[in-house]
């Protein structure tokens, strides 16, 4: 069965500092990986996705993520955090089958200090 | 930009009552999903739907749950006899492709409170 672990429940960074959110997955085949962001009272917005090819993927809002098969990781990064990035971030793995089920990690809540 | 919409934003119901949560997926999308998030827990998959039938469902999606696409635009989740543990945020999602290219777009959610 597939699973996703986000080891950090909360992270606080200063505005302008760099950010890395960790994600580890368990999946028997080639994973399809996603990062979503959820602002308070909002739905889940897709930041970026990895299906195949270049292991460094660029997303919206200046985010990027790197797929490392050897470490079963798909960490999310941003070089300079803005106060508006404060939100909850979810990593997810998808299955390549008719159901397209996404399995989510527990989420990391990001707080940004001024 | 097209978006998934959900109504109502908040539904309060008594235990044992039936509820219907409504979603309008993005208009050219063909795959539809329901997920739920119990407060403080992970987002969990409930069901996926394509071509007017269920493609996959999780263990959570038991006989108390059903989904329907009653017309060309709506996608509904019905819970026949609600339990306290059904209290959660329910998210609808849709995608235009399936399988490995599935990029799911989520609605803002319906918060269901069962008292």
């Amino acid at each position: 069965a597939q699973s996703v672990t986000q080891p950090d429940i909360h992270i606080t960074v200063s505005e302008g500092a760099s950010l890395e959110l960790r994600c580890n997955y368990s999946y028997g085949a080639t994973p399809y990986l996603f990062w979503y962001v959820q602002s308070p009272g909002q739905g889940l917005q897709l930041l970026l996705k990895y299906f195949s090819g270049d292991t460094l993927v660029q997303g919206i809002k200046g985010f990027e993520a790197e797929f490392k098969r050897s470490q079963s990781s798909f960490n999310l990064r941003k070089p300079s955090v803005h106060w508006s990035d404060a939100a909850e971030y979810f990593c997810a793995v998808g299955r390549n089958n008719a159901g397209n089920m996404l399995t989510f990690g527990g989420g990391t809540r990001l707080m940004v200090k001024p | 930009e097209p978006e998934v919409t959900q109504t109502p934003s908040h539904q309060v119901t008594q235990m044992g009552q039936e509820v219907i949560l409504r979603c309008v997926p993005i208009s050219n999308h063909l795959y539809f999903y329901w997920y739920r998030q119990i407060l403080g827990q992970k987002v969990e998959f409930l069901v996926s739907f394509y071509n007017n039938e269920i493609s996959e469902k999780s263990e959570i999606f038991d006989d108390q749950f059903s989904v329907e696409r009653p017309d060309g635009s709506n996608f509904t989740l019905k819970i026949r006899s609600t339990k306290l543990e059904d209290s959660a945020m329910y998210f609808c999602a849709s995608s235009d492709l399936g399988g490995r290219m599935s990029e799911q777009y989520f609605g803002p959610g319906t918060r269901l409170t069962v008292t």
Side-chain angles (χ1 to χ4, degrees):
Chain A
Q2 60 205 61
S3 66
V4 178
T5 302
Q6 293 179 246
D8 305 304
I9 298 173
H10 292 102
I11 281 187
T12 300
V13 300
S14 298
E15 191 167 17
S18 64
L19 171 71
E20 182 168 28
L21 301 182
R22 296 184 290 164
C23 171
N24 293 98
Y25 68 89
S26 172
Y27 185 60
T30 302
Y32 304 105
L33 296 159
F34 307 83
W35 274 100
Y36 284 85
V37 61
Q38 184 182 31
S39 298
Q42 304 295 312
L44 297 161
Q45 182 183 22
L46 182 67
L47 284 176
L48 48 78
K49 59 187 184 287
Y50 172 77
F51 288 155
S52 65
D54 193 347
T55 56
L56 184 63
V57 293
Q58 303 297 320
I60 62 171
K61 305 185 180 187
F63 285 93
E64 66 177 27
E66 186 170 14
F67 170 60
K68 293 185 178 180
R69 185 186 297 275
S70 61
Q71 298 176 19
S72 298
S73 69
F74 188 57
N75 293 348
L76 182 71
R77 301 194 294 247
K78 186 169 185 178
S80 177
V81 168
H82 188 262
W83 63 266
S84 60
D85 294 323
E88 187 140 24
Y89 292 80
F90 293 94
C91 182
V93 62
R95 275 211 307 241
N96 181 24
N97 69 346
N100 305 326
M101 178 180 86
L102 291 179
T103 298
F104 285 84
T108 297
R109 182 165 297 281
L110 173 66
M111 294 168 52
V112 181
K113 292 189 301 186
Chain B
E1 185 176 328
E3 57 183 19
V4 177
T5 59
Q6 291 185 243
T7 54
S9 57
H10 191 191
Q11 172 93 46
V12 181
T13 189
Q14 289 190 324
M15 197 167 51
Q17 295 297 304
E18 174 183 286
V19 295
I20 298 177
L21 309 183
R22 302 179 193 280
C23 168
V24 179
I26 294 173
S27 63
N28 63 337
H29 284 187
L30 300 176
Y31 298 80
F32 314 112
Y33 315 85
W34 284 102
Y35 292 80
R36 78 172 186 191
Q37 184 181 29
I38 295 172
L39 189 63
Q41 298 187 23
K42 295 184 179 186
V43 177
E44 302 172 289
F45 171 82
L46 292 178
V47 67
S48 57
F49 190 86
Y50 169 70
N51 200 26
N52 278 321
E53 56 184 35
I54 290 173
S55 305
E56 186 172 9
K57 60 184 181 179
S58 70
E59 294 175 351
I60 303 166
F61 195 88
D62 62 21
D63 292 344
Q64 293 300 311
F65 291 87
S66 62
V67 289
E68 190 179 28
R69 187 153 165 82
D71 53 43
S73 59
N74 289 281
F75 179 53
T76 61
L77 174 70
K78 183 193 293 186
I79 309 174
R80 286 190 185 80
S81 177
T82 50
K83 307 184 188 89
L84 293 175
E85 54 265 37
D86 293 327
S87 295
M89 181 74 91
Y90 288 80
F91 293 106
C92 174
S94 68
S95 64
D96 57 352
L97 298 171
R100 62 184 297 276
M101 298 302 291
S102 170
E103 178 176 325
Q104 296 178 28
Y105 294 81
F106 283 77
T110 292
R111 179 164 298 286
L112 176 65
T113 302
V114 182
T115 61

